[in-house]
Amino acid sequence: MGLVSSCPEDKIGRVIACLTSLTGEHENSSSALLSEMDVREMEKYCRGGSTAMLDCITVLFDNCTKAEDRQILVRFADRQRLNSTFIRFCENFDVYSSNSGCISSQEQSVHSCIEDSKRPWVPLGPMHRFCRHFKTWHECRTGPVTRACGRQTGEVIGIFLQGITPPICQGYLHRDTESTAHVSSACYSHLVVGVILSFLFVHSLTKR
């Protein structure tokens, strides 16, 4: 994931790309916190305070200084919350690293859970689909890891994934089609719709 040197036109797509990959390798984003690459990335952060995800978000915010750009970005990324989430994760890094083998072995179960979650979908608006993606991401990683690797390990994964969920989706209930209605009338909704539909399409291709 190349770092931008100016505020990109597709700033929503960029912030989503930042949030869906720990390592900066977007094609591997489906494995978030499951792969050995993710273990190394989180260890690097906990030792030195730098990680591709936070670096990506920092550069994006630093380059998008106009009020209208910031107004959009803060709906998708809360930098203070992200920093706190990573710091809290480091406090429990030993739990994560000592169980990394068990966590990695759940990747197929996670993938199956995500695929199964798509089947009962009814037609939904783009924001609902977008937030449901993050909710499913959370549930399908936390559930298998908790069952196979223990409650404490599952909590470490779950708290982290909840922490990186976009503010616009915090509190979202994926079985409640009204739970994202408050964002549907946002003044930039036409922009959000286009970018999110593109994101969902591209992300679906990386799963195949």
Side-chain angles (χ1 to χ4, degrees):
M1 183 189 303
L3 297 180
V4 295
S5 57
S6 60
C7 189
E9 291 186 14
D10 64 333
K11 61 189 72 64
I12 296 176
R14 171 58 63 169
V15 73
I16 292 170
C18 292
L19 291 172
T20 51
S21 176
L22 287 174
T23 63
E25 300 294 330
H26 191 60
E27 63 269 21
N28 294 322
S29 63
S30 63
S31 69
L33 287 182
L34 300 179
S35 72
E36 288 301 318
M37 185 184 298
D38 295 329
V39 176
R40 292 193 297 272
E41 182 72 10
M42 296 307 291
E43 183 176 23
K44 181 181 76 173
Y45 170 77
C46 292
R47 288 183 174 180
S50 176
T51 184
M53 181 186 289
L54 291 181
D55 291 347
C56 182
I57 293 290
T58 296
V59 170
L60 185 60
F61 271 78
D62 286 350
N63 288 322
C64 295
T65 57
K66 292 181 180 178
E68 57 268 29
D69 292 334
R70 286 295 181 90
Q71 199 171 28
I72 292 173
L73 288 178
V74 296
R75 295 295 188 97
F76 290 87
D78 181 334
R79 295 173 70 182
Q80 184 175 356
R81 181 184 177 91
L82 287 172
N83 283 316
S84 297
T85 295
F86 273 80
I87 290 170
R88 185 172 183 182
F89 183 90
C90 290
E91 293 171 352
N92 296 284
F93 181 75
D94 288 346
V95 174
Y96 173 67
S97 61
S98 64
N99 288 281
S100 60
C102 178
I103 293 168
S104 297
S105 68
Q106 305 314 308
E107 192 159 4
Q108 184 56 52
S109 296
V110 169
H111 179 75
S112 297
C113 174
I114 290 173
E115 290 301 307
D116 288 345
S117 73
K118 296 175 182 177
R119 293 173 185 163
W121 278 25
V122 295
L124 301 171
M127 283 309 307
H128 188 86
R129 290 173 61 195
F130 173 70
C131 291
R132 179 168 179 164
H133 165 81
F134 275 90
K135 184 70 173 180
T136 300
W137 216 37
H138 177 277
E139 291 182 351
C140 286
R141 282 158 177 74
T142 304
V145 169
T146 299
R147 289 190 291 272
C149 312
R151 180 182 58 81
Q152 188 177 14
T153 307
E155 286 180 353
V156 171
I157 299 289
I159 290 170
F160 180 83
L161 293 175
Q162 182 64 29
I164 66 173
T165 297
I168 203 168
C169 297
Q170 292 290 342
Y172 165 75
L173 302 174
H174 66 299
R175 294 179 180 84
D176 177 9
T177 57
E178 299 300 317
S179 65
T180 55
H182 64 287
V183 300
S184 301
S185 60
C187 62
Y188 56 89
S189 61
H190 65 288
L191 174 62
V192 174
V193 167
V195 173
I196 289 174
L197 286 175
S198 297
F199 164 73
L200 291 170
F201 173 71
V202 172
H203 200 271
S204 69
L205 295 180
T206 67
K207 305 290 189 184
R208 296 178 183 175

Short mmCIF file of all heavy atoms in Angstrom, two decimals, residues 127-191:
data_model
loop_
_atom_site.label_atom_id
_atom_site.label_comp_id
_atom_site.label_asym_id
_atom_site.label_seq_id
_atom_site.Cartn_x
_atom_site.Cartn_y
_atom_site.Cartn_z
N MET A 127 -24.39 1.73 2.88
CA MET A 127 -23.84 1.94 4.21
C MET A 127 -24.10 0.74 5.10
O MET A 127 -23.25 0.33 5.89
CB MET A 127 -24.42 3.20 4.85
CG MET A 127 -23.84 4.50 4.35
SD MET A 127 -22.02 4.56 4.39
CE MET A 127 -21.68 4.11 6.08
N HIS A 128 -25.29 0.15 4.96
CA HIS A 128 -25.62 -1.04 5.75
C HIS A 128 -24.69 -2.18 5.36
O HIS A 128 -24.17 -2.90 6.22
CB HIS A 128 -27.08 -1.41 5.51
CG HIS A 128 -27.58 -2.49 6.42
ND1 HIS A 128 -28.08 -2.23 7.67
CD2 HIS A 128 -27.63 -3.84 6.26
CE1 HIS A 128 -28.45 -3.37 8.24
NE2 HIS A 128 -28.18 -4.36 7.41
N ARG A 129 -24.46 -2.35 4.07
CA ARG A 129 -23.58 -3.42 3.60
C ARG A 129 -22.15 -3.19 4.09
O ARG A 129 -21.45 -4.12 4.48
CB ARG A 129 -23.61 -3.48 2.07
CG ARG A 129 -24.91 -3.99 1.49
CD ARG A 129 -24.92 -3.86 -0.02
NE ARG A 129 -23.84 -4.65 -0.63
CZ ARG A 129 -23.44 -4.48 -1.88
NH1 ARG A 129 -24.00 -3.54 -2.64
NH2 ARG A 129 -22.49 -5.23 -2.38
N PHE A 130 -21.73 -1.94 4.05
CA PHE A 130 -20.37 -1.60 4.47
C PHE A 130 -20.18 -1.91 5.95
O PHE A 130 -19.21 -2.57 6.35
CB PHE A 130 -20.12 -0.12 4.19
CG PHE A 130 -18.82 0.39 4.75
CD1 PHE A 130 -17.62 0.00 4.21
CD2 PHE A 130 -18.82 1.28 5.81
CE1 PHE A 130 -16.42 0.48 4.72
CE2 PHE A 130 -17.63 1.77 6.33
CZ PHE A 130 -16.43 1.36 5.78
N CYS A 131 -21.08 -1.44 6.80
CA CYS A 131 -20.95 -1.66 8.24
C CYS A 131 -21.14 -3.13 8.58
O CYS A 131 -20.50 -3.65 9.50
CB CYS A 131 -21.94 -0.79 9.00
SG CYS A 131 -21.54 0.97 8.94
N ARG A 132 -21.99 -3.82 7.83
CA ARG A 132 -22.16 -5.25 8.07
C ARG A 132 -20.86 -5.99 7.76
O ARG A 132 -20.53 -6.97 8.43
CB ARG A 132 -23.29 -5.81 7.21
CG ARG A 132 -23.49 -7.30 7.42
CD ARG A 132 -24.77 -7.80 6.80
NE ARG A 132 -24.88 -9.23 7.03
CZ ARG A 132 -26.01 -9.90 6.89
NH1 ARG A 132 -27.10 -9.28 6.54
NH2 ARG A 132 -26.04 -11.20 7.11
N HIS A 133 -20.12 -5.53 6.77
CA HIS A 133 -18.83 -6.14 6.45
C HIS A 133 -17.92 -6.11 7.68
O HIS A 133 -17.31 -7.12 8.03
CB HIS A 133 -18.17 -5.41 5.28
CG HIS A 133 -16.72 -5.73 5.11
ND1 HIS A 133 -16.30 -6.88 4.48
CD2 HIS A 133 -15.60 -5.09 5.53
CE1 HIS A 133 -14.97 -6.91 4.50
NE2 HIS A 133 -14.53 -5.84 5.13
N PHE A 134 -17.81 -4.95 8.34
CA PHE A 134 -16.94 -4.85 9.50
C PHE A 134 -17.47 -5.66 10.68
O PHE A 134 -16.69 -6.25 11.44
CB PHE A 134 -16.76 -3.38 9.90
CG PHE A 134 -15.66 -2.69 9.14
CD1 PHE A 134 -15.94 -2.04 7.95
CD2 PHE A 134 -14.36 -2.71 9.59
CE1 PHE A 134 -14.93 -1.42 7.23
CE2 PHE A 134 -13.34 -2.10 8.89
CZ PHE A 134 -13.62 -1.44 7.69
N LYS A 135 -18.79 -5.70 10.84
CA LYS A 135 -19.39 -6.49 11.92
C LYS A 135 -19.11 -7.97 11.70
O LYS A 135 -18.76 -8.70 12.63
CB LYS A 135 -20.90 -6.24 11.96
CG LYS A 135 -21.62 -6.94 13.10
CD LYS A 135 -21.26 -6.34 14.44
CE LYS A 135 -22.10 -6.92 15.57
NZ LYS A 135 -21.77 -6.34 16.87
N THR A 136 -19.27 -8.44 10.45
CA THR A 136 -19.00 -9.84 10.14
C THR A 136 -17.53 -10.16 10.33
O THR A 136 -17.16 -11.22 10.84
CB THR A 136 -19.42 -10.14 8.68
OG1 THR A 136 -20.82 -9.88 8.53
CG2 THR A 136 -19.14 -11.59 8.32
N TRP A 137 -16.68 -9.23 9.90
CA TRP A 137 -15.23 -9.37 10.07
C TRP A 137 -14.91 -9.63 11.54
O TRP A 137 -14.13 -10.52 11.87
CB TRP A 137 -14.61 -8.04 9.63
CG TRP A 137 -13.30 -8.11 8.94
CD1 TRP A 137 -12.87 -9.07 8.06
CD2 TRP A 137 -12.24 -7.16 9.06
NE1 TRP A 137 -11.61 -8.75 7.62
CE2 TRP A 137 -11.20 -7.58 8.22
CE3 TRP A 137 -12.09 -5.98 9.78
CZ2 TRP A 137 -10.00 -6.88 8.08
CZ3 TRP A 137 -10.90 -5.28 9.64
CH2 TRP A 137 -9.88 -5.73 8.80
N HIS A 138 -15.55 -8.86 12.42
CA HIS A 138 -15.34 -8.99 13.86
C HIS A 138 -15.84 -10.34 14.38
O HIS A 138 -15.11 -11.08 15.04
CB HIS A 138 -16.06 -7.84 14.58
CG HIS A 138 -15.98 -7.91 16.08
ND1 HIS A 138 -16.85 -8.69 16.82
CD2 HIS A 138 -15.16 -7.30 16.97
CE1 HIS A 138 -16.57 -8.56 18.10
NE2 HIS A 138 -15.54 -7.72 18.22
N GLU A 139 -17.07 -10.68 14.05
CA GLU A 139 -17.68 -11.90 14.58
C GLU A 139 -16.98 -13.16 14.08
O GLU A 139 -16.80 -14.12 14.84
CB GLU A 139 -19.16 -11.93 14.22
CG GLU A 139 -19.99 -10.89 14.96
CD GLU A 139 -21.47 -10.98 14.62
OE1 GLU A 139 -21.82 -11.74 13.69
OE2 GLU A 139 -22.25 -10.29 15.29
N CYS A 140 -16.62 -13.16 12.79
CA CYS A 140 -16.06 -14.38 12.20
C CYS A 140 -14.61 -14.61 12.58
O CYS A 140 -14.10 -15.71 12.39
CB CYS A 140 -16.21 -14.34 10.67
SG CYS A 140 -17.91 -14.63 10.12
N ARG A 141 -13.93 -13.61 13.08
CA ARG A 141 -12.59 -13.82 13.60
C ARG A 141 -12.64 -14.15 15.09
O ARG A 141 -11.94 -15.05 15.55
CB ARG A 141 -11.72 -12.58 13.36
CG ARG A 141 -11.21 -12.50 11.94
CD ARG A 141 -10.82 -11.11 11.54
NE ARG A 141 -10.28 -11.07 10.19
CZ ARG A 141 -11.03 -11.20 9.08
NH1 ARG A 141 -12.34 -11.35 9.18
NH2 ARG A 141 -10.47 -11.16 7.88
N THR A 142 -13.46 -13.43 15.81
CA THR A 142 -13.51 -13.62 17.27
C THR A 142 -14.09 -14.99 17.64
O THR A 142 -13.55 -15.67 18.52
CB THR A 142 -14.36 -12.51 17.91
OG1 THR A 142 -13.83 -11.23 17.54
CG2 THR A 142 -14.35 -12.63 19.42
N GLY A 143 -15.17 -15.39 16.97
CA GLY A 143 -15.84 -16.65 17.31
C GLY A 143 -14.94 -17.88 17.21
O GLY A 143 -14.72 -18.59 18.21
N PRO A 144 -14.38 -18.17 16.03
CA PRO A 144 -13.51 -19.34 15.89
C PRO A 144 -12.28 -19.30 16.80
O PRO A 144 -11.88 -20.33 17.36
CB PRO A 144 -13.10 -19.30 14.41
CG PRO A 144 -14.23 -18.61 13.73
CD PRO A 144 -14.66 -17.55 14.71
N VAL A 145 -11.68 -18.13 16.95
CA VAL A 145 -10.49 -18.02 17.81
C VAL A 145 -10.85 -18.29 19.26
O VAL A 145 -10.12 -18.98 19.98
CB VAL A 145 -9.83 -16.63 17.65
CG1 VAL A 145 -8.77 -16.41 18.72
CG2 VAL A 145 -9.20 -16.50 16.27
N THR A 146 -11.97 -17.76 19.72
CA THR A 146 -12.40 -17.98 21.11
C THR A 146 -12.64 -19.46 21.37
O THR A 146 -12.18 -20.00 22.38
CB THR A 146 -13.68 -17.17 21.41
OG1 THR A 146 -13.41 -15.78 21.24
CG2 THR A 146 -14.14 -17.43 22.84
N ARG A 147 -13.34 -20.11 20.44
CA ARG A 147 -13.66 -21.53 20.63
C ARG A 147 -12.42 -22.40 20.62
O ARG A 147 -12.31 -23.35 21.40
CB ARG A 147 -14.64 -21.99 19.55
CG ARG A 147 -16.06 -21.42 19.72
CD ARG A 147 -17.04 -22.08 18.78
NE ARG A 147 -16.77 -21.72 17.38
CZ ARG A 147 -17.29 -20.64 16.79
NH1 ARG A 147 -18.07 -19.81 17.48
NH2 ARG A 147 -17.04 -20.37 15.53
N ALA A 148 -11.48 -22.10 19.75
CA ALA A 148 -10.31 -22.97 19.60
C ALA A 148 -9.14 -22.58 20.51
O ALA A 148 -8.38 -23.45 20.94
CB ALA A 148 -9.84 -22.96 18.14
N CYS A 149 -8.99 -21.29 20.78
CA CYS A 149 -7.78 -20.81 21.45
C CYS A 149 -8.03 -20.22 22.83
O CYS A 149 -7.08 -19.78 23.50
CB CYS A 149 -7.07 -19.77 20.58
SG CYS A 149 -6.86 -20.27 18.85
N GLY A 150 -9.30 -20.15 23.24
CA GLY A 150 -9.61 -19.67 24.58
C GLY A 150 -10.22 -18.29 24.61
O GLY A 150 -10.03 -17.48 23.71
N ARG A 151 -10.96 -18.03 25.68
CA ARG A 151 -11.70 -16.77 25.81
C ARG A 151 -10.77 -15.56 25.82
O ARG A 151 -11.06 -14.55 25.18
CB ARG A 151 -12.53 -16.80 27.11
CG ARG A 151 -13.34 -15.52 27.35
CD ARG A 151 -14.09 -15.60 28.67
NE ARG A 151 -13.18 -15.80 29.78
CZ ARG A 151 -12.47 -14.83 30.37
NH1 ARG A 151 -12.57 -13.59 29.91
NH2 ARG A 151 -11.69 -15.09 31.39
N GLN A 152 -9.66 -15.64 26.55
CA GLN A 152 -8.78 -14.49 26.66
C GLN A 152 -8.19 -14.11 25.30
O GLN A 152 -8.13 -12.93 24.94
CB GLN A 152 -7.65 -14.77 27.65
CG GLN A 152 -6.80 -13.55 27.97
CD GLN A 152 -5.72 -13.84 28.99
OE1 GLN A 152 -5.42 -14.99 29.29
NE2 GLN A 152 -5.13 -12.78 29.54
N THR A 153 -7.81 -15.12 24.53
CA THR A 153 -7.27 -14.86 23.19
C THR A 153 -8.34 -14.24 22.29
O THR A 153 -8.07 -13.30 21.55
CB THR A 153 -6.74 -16.16 22.56
OG1 THR A 153 -5.84 -16.79 23.47
CG2 THR A 153 -6.04 -15.89 21.24
N GLY A 154 -9.55 -14.78 22.36
CA GLY A 154 -10.65 -14.24 21.57
C GLY A 154 -10.95 -12.79 21.93
O GLY A 154 -11.26 -11.98 21.06
N GLU A 155 -10.85 -12.46 23.21
CA GLU A 155 -11.11 -11.09 23.65
C GLU A 155 -10.05 -10.13 23.10
O GLU A 155 -10.38 -9.00 22.71
CB GLU A 155 -11.13 -11.02 25.17
CG GLU A 155 -12.40 -11.60 25.78
CD GLU A 155 -12.40 -11.53 27.30
OE1 GLU A 155 -11.36 -11.15 27.88
OE2 GLU A 155 -13.45 -11.86 27.90
N VAL A 156 -8.79 -10.55 23.08
CA VAL A 156 -7.72 -9.71 22.54
C VAL A 156 -8.00 -9.39 21.08
O VAL A 156 -7.90 -8.23 20.65
CB VAL A 156 -6.35 -10.40 22.69
CG1 VAL A 156 -5.27 -9.63 21.94
CG2 VAL A 156 -5.97 -10.52 24.16
N ILE A 157 -8.38 -10.41 20.31
CA ILE A 157 -8.71 -10.22 18.89
C ILE A 157 -9.94 -9.33 18.75
O ILE A 157 -9.97 -8.38 17.96
CB ILE A 157 -8.96 -11.57 18.21
CG1 ILE A 157 -7.73 -12.47 18.27
CG2 ILE A 157 -9.43 -11.38 16.77
CD1 ILE A 157 -6.59 -12.07 17.41
N GLY A 158 -10.99 -9.64 19.51
CA GLY A 158 -12.26 -8.93 19.39
C GLY A 158 -12.16 -7.46 19.75
O GLY A 158 -12.71 -6.60 19.06
N ILE A 159 -11.45 -7.16 20.83
CA ILE A 159 -11.31 -5.76 21.26
C ILE A 159 -10.54 -4.96 20.21
O ILE A 159 -10.88 -3.81 19.91
CB ILE A 159 -10.61 -5.69 22.63
CG1 ILE A 159 -11.56 -6.22 23.72
CG2 ILE A 159 -10.18 -4.26 22.96
CD1 ILE A 159 -10.90 -6.42 25.07
N PHE A 160 -9.52 -5.57 19.62
CA PHE A 160 -8.75 -4.89 18.59
C PHE A 160 -9.61 -4.60 17.37
O PHE A 160 -9.64 -3.48 16.85
CB PHE A 160 -7.54 -5.72 18.18
CG PHE A 160 -6.69 -5.06 17.12
CD1 PHE A 160 -5.74 -4.12 17.47
CD2 PHE A 160 -6.88 -5.35 15.79
CE1 PHE A 160 -4.98 -3.49 16.50
CE2 PHE A 160 -6.13 -4.74 14.80
CZ PHE A 160 -5.16 -3.80 15.15
N LEU A 161 -10.34 -5.60 16.89
CA LEU A 161 -11.16 -5.42 15.69
C LEU A 161 -12.29 -4.42 15.92
O LEU A 161 -12.65 -3.65 15.02
CB LEU A 161 -11.73 -6.77 15.23
CG LEU A 161 -10.68 -7.77 14.72
CD1 LEU A 161 -11.33 -9.11 14.40
CD2 LEU A 161 -9.95 -7.24 13.49
N GLN A 162 -12.85 -4.41 17.13
CA GLN A 162 -13.86 -3.41 17.45
C GLN A 162 -13.25 -2.02 17.44
O GLN A 162 -13.86 -1.04 16.99
CB GLN A 162 -14.47 -3.70 18.82
CG GLN A 162 -15.57 -2.74 19.25
CD GLN A 162 -16.79 -2.80 18.35
OE1 GLN A 162 -17.09 -3.85 17.77
NE2 GLN A 162 -17.50 -1.69 18.23
N GLY A 163 -12.01 -1.92 17.90
CA GLY A 163 -11.35 -0.63 17.97
C GLY A 163 -11.03 -0.01 16.62
O GLY A 163 -10.98 1.21 16.49
N ILE A 164 -10.80 -0.85 15.60
CA ILE A 164 -10.47 -0.31 14.28
C ILE A 164 -11.71 -0.18 13.39
O ILE A 164 -11.61 0.31 12.26
CB ILE A 164 -9.41 -1.17 13.55
CG1 ILE A 164 -9.94 -2.55 13.20
CG2 ILE A 164 -8.13 -1.24 14.36
CD1 ILE A 164 -8.98 -3.37 12.33
N THR A 165 -12.88 -0.57 13.91
CA THR A 165 -14.12 -0.40 13.16
C THR A 165 -14.40 1.09 12.98
O THR A 165 -14.29 1.87 13.95
CB THR A 165 -15.30 -1.07 13.90
OG1 THR A 165 -15.06 -2.47 13.98
CG2 THR A 165 -16.61 -0.83 13.17
N PRO A 166 -14.74 1.55 11.77
CA PRO A 166 -14.98 2.98 11.54
C PRO A 166 -16.02 3.57 12.49
O PRO A 166 -17.02 2.90 12.80
CB PRO A 166 -15.48 3.01 10.09
CG PRO A 166 -14.86 1.82 9.46
CD PRO A 166 -14.86 0.76 10.53
N PRO A 167 -15.81 4.79 12.96
CA PRO A 167 -16.80 5.44 13.85
C PRO A 167 -18.21 5.42 13.28
O PRO A 167 -19.18 5.29 14.02
CB PRO A 167 -16.27 6.88 13.95
CG PRO A 167 -14.79 6.73 13.80
CD PRO A 167 -14.62 5.64 12.77
N ILE A 168 -18.32 5.54 11.96
CA ILE A 168 -19.63 5.57 11.33
C ILE A 168 -20.38 4.26 11.54
O ILE A 168 -21.61 4.20 11.42
CB ILE A 168 -19.49 5.90 9.82
CG1 ILE A 168 -20.78 6.48 9.27
CG2 ILE A 168 -19.04 4.69 9.02
CD1 ILE A 168 -20.63 7.08 7.89
N CYS A 169 -19.65 3.19 11.90
CA CYS A 169 -20.26 1.87 12.09
C CYS A 169 -20.27 1.43 13.55
O CYS A 169 -20.75 0.33 13.85
CB CYS A 169 -19.51 0.82 11.26
SG CYS A 169 -19.59 1.08 9.48
N GLN A 170 -19.74 2.24 14.46
CA GLN A 170 -19.75 1.86 15.87
C GLN A 170 -21.20 1.78 16.36
O GLN A 170 -22.01 2.64 16.09
CB GLN A 170 -18.97 2.88 16.71
CG GLN A 170 -17.48 2.89 16.45
CD GLN A 170 -16.76 1.65 16.95
OE1 GLN A 170 -17.28 0.92 17.78
NE2 GLN A 170 -15.56 1.43 16.43
N GLY A 171 -21.50 0.74 17.08
CA GLY A 171 -22.86 0.55 17.58
C GLY A 171 -23.80 -0.06 16.55
O GLY A 171 -24.98 -0.25 16.82
N TYR A 172 -23.27 -0.39 15.38
CA TYR A 172 -24.09 -0.95 14.31
C TYR A 172 -24.54 -2.37 14.66
O TYR A 172 -23.75 -3.18 15.13
CB TYR A 172 -23.28 -0.96 13.01
CG TYR A 172 -23.87 -1.83 11.92
CD1 TYR A 172 -24.99 -1.41 11.22
CD2 TYR A 172 -23.30 -3.06 11.62
CE1 TYR A 172 -25.53 -2.21 10.23
CE2 TYR A 172 -23.84 -3.85 10.63
CZ TYR A 172 -24.96 -3.43 9.95
OH TYR A 172 -25.49 -4.23 8.97
N LEU A 173 -25.81 -2.64 14.44
CA LEU A 173 -26.37 -3.98 14.63
C LEU A 173 -26.73 -4.53 13.27
O LEU A 173 -27.63 -4.02 12.61
CB LEU A 173 -27.61 -3.93 15.54
CG LEU A 173 -27.38 -3.34 16.94
CD1 LEU A 173 -28.70 -3.21 17.68
CD2 LEU A 173 -26.40 -4.20 17.73
N HIS A 174 -26.04 -5.59 12.83
CA HIS A 174 -26.21 -6.02 11.45
C HIS A 174 -27.55 -6.67 11.16
O HIS A 174 -27.89 -6.91 10.01
CB HIS A 174 -25.06 -6.94 11.02
CG HIS A 174 -24.99 -8.25 11.73
ND1 HIS A 174 -24.81 -8.35 13.09
CD2 HIS A 174 -25.06 -9.51 11.27
CE1 HIS A 174 -24.77 -9.62 13.43
NE2 HIS A 174 -24.92 -10.35 12.34
N ARG A 175 -28.34 -6.96 12.20
CA ARG A 175 -29.67 -7.51 11.95
C ARG A 175 -30.75 -6.43 11.98
O ARG A 175 -31.92 -6.71 11.83
CB ARG A 175 -29.98 -8.60 12.99
CG ARG A 175 -29.07 -9.81 12.85
CD ARG A 175 -29.37 -10.88 13.89
NE ARG A 175 -28.49 -12.03 13.73
CZ ARG A 175 -27.27 -12.11 14.22
NH1 ARG A 175 -26.79 -11.11 14.92
NH2 ARG A 175 -26.52 -13.17 14.03
N ASP A 176 -30.31 -5.20 12.19
CA ASP A 176 -31.24 -4.07 12.25
C ASP A 176 -30.99 -3.16 11.05
O ASP A 176 -30.01 -2.43 11.01
CB ASP A 176 -31.03 -3.30 13.56
CG ASP A 176 -31.90 -2.07 13.67
OD1 ASP A 176 -32.79 -1.90 12.80
OD2 ASP A 176 -31.71 -1.28 14.60
N THR A 177 -31.89 -3.20 10.06
CA THR A 177 -31.67 -2.43 8.84
C THR A 177 -31.80 -0.93 9.06
O THR A 177 -31.48 -0.15 8.18
CB THR A 177 -32.69 -2.85 7.75
OG1 THR A 177 -34.03 -2.67 8.26
CG2 THR A 177 -32.49 -4.29 7.35
N GLU A 178 -32.28 -0.52 10.23
CA GLU A 178 -32.40 0.91 10.52
C GLU A 178 -31.18 1.46 11.25
O GLU A 178 -31.05 2.65 11.46
CB GLU A 178 -33.65 1.16 11.39
CG GLU A 178 -34.95 0.74 10.73
CD GLU A 178 -35.20 1.46 9.43
OE1 GLU A 178 -34.95 2.69 9.39
OE2 GLU A 178 -35.62 0.83 8.46
N SER A 179 -30.25 0.58 11.67
CA SER A 179 -29.18 1.02 12.56
C SER A 179 -28.17 1.93 11.90
O SER A 179 -27.40 2.58 12.59
CB SER A 179 -28.45 -0.19 13.16
OG SER A 179 -27.79 -0.93 12.15
N THR A 180 -28.14 2.00 10.57
CA THR A 180 -27.25 2.95 9.91
C THR A 180 -28.04 4.03 9.17
O THR A 180 -27.49 4.76 8.37
CB THR A 180 -26.32 2.24 8.91
OG1 THR A 180 -27.11 1.49 8.00
CG2 THR A 180 -25.35 1.33 9.62
N ALA A 181 -29.33 4.14 9.48
CA ALA A 181 -30.16 5.12 8.77
C ALA A 181 -29.68 6.54 8.99
O ALA A 181 -29.84 7.40 8.13
CB ALA A 181 -31.62 4.99 9.24
N HIS A 182 -29.05 6.79 10.15
CA HIS A 182 -28.60 8.15 10.48
C HIS A 182 -27.51 8.64 9.55
O HIS A 182 -27.28 9.84 9.46
CB HIS A 182 -28.11 8.20 11.92
CG HIS A 182 -26.90 7.37 12.18
ND1 HIS A 182 -26.95 5.99 12.23
CD2 HIS A 182 -25.60 7.71 12.39
CE1 HIS A 182 -25.75 5.52 12.47
NE2 HIS A 182 -24.90 6.53 12.56
N VAL A 183 -26.82 7.74 8.85
CA VAL A 183 -25.77 8.19 7.94
C VAL A 183 -26.26 8.29 6.51
O VAL A 183 -25.57 8.84 5.66
CB VAL A 183 -24.53 7.26 7.99
CG1 VAL A 183 -23.95 7.23 9.38
CG2 VAL A 183 -24.87 5.87 7.51
N SER A 184 -27.44 7.75 6.23
CA SER A 184 -27.91 7.70 4.86
C SER A 184 -28.17 9.08 4.27
O SER A 184 -28.06 9.30 3.07
CB SER A 184 -29.21 6.88 4.78
OG SER A 184 -28.98 5.57 5.24
N SER A 185 -28.52 10.03 5.12
CA SER A 185 -28.86 11.36 4.62
C SER A 185 -27.69 12.34 4.70
O SER A 185 -27.87 13.53 4.52
CB SER A 185 -30.03 11.93 5.44
OG SER A 185 -29.69 12.02 6.80
N ALA A 186 -26.49 11.83 4.97
CA ALA A 186 -25.32 12.70 5.05
C ALA A 186 -25.12 13.43 3.73
O ALA A 186 -25.42 12.90 2.67
CB ALA A 186 -24.07 11.88 5.38
N CYS A 187 -24.58 14.66 3.81
CA CYS A 187 -24.47 15.48 2.61
C CYS A 187 -23.54 14.87 1.57
O CYS A 187 -23.64 15.19 0.39
CB CYS A 187 -23.99 16.87 2.99
SG CYS A 187 -22.34 16.92 3.75
N TYR A 188 -22.64 13.98 1.99
CA TYR A 188 -21.71 13.38 1.05
C TYR A 188 -22.10 11.94 0.73
O TYR A 188 -21.28 11.17 0.24
CB TYR A 188 -20.29 13.41 1.61
CG TYR A 188 -20.15 12.75 2.95
CD1 TYR A 188 -19.87 11.39 3.06
CD2 TYR A 188 -20.29 13.50 4.11
CE1 TYR A 188 -19.76 10.79 4.30
CE2 TYR A 188 -20.17 12.90 5.34
CZ TYR A 188 -19.91 11.56 5.42
OH TYR A 188 -19.79 10.96 6.65
N SER A 189 -23.36 11.57 0.98
CA SER A 189 -23.77 10.17 0.83
C SER A 189 -23.55 9.65 -0.58
O SER A 189 -23.22 8.48 -0.76
CB SER A 189 -25.23 10.00 1.23
OG SER A 189 -26.07 10.77 0.40
N HIS A 190 -23.71 10.50 -1.62
CA HIS A 190 -23.51 10.03 -2.98
C HIS A 190 -22.07 9.61 -3.21
O HIS A 190 -21.78 8.65 -3.92
CB HIS A 190 -23.90 11.12 -3.98
CG HIS A 190 -23.04 12.34 -3.92
ND1 HIS A 190 -23.10 13.24 -2.86
CD2 HIS A 190 -22.07 12.80 -4.75
CE1 HIS A 190 -22.22 14.22 -3.06
NE2 HIS A 190 -21.57 13.96 -4.19
N LEU A 191 -21.13 10.32 -2.57
CA LEU A 191 -19.72 9.97 -2.68
C LEU A 191 -19.45 8.67 -1.94
O LEU A 191 -18.75 7.78 -2.43
CB LEU A 191 -18.88 11.10 -2.10
CG LEU A 191 -17.37 10.88 -1.98
CD1 LEU A 191 -16.77 10.68 -3.37
CD2 LEU A 191 -16.71 12.06 -1.28
#
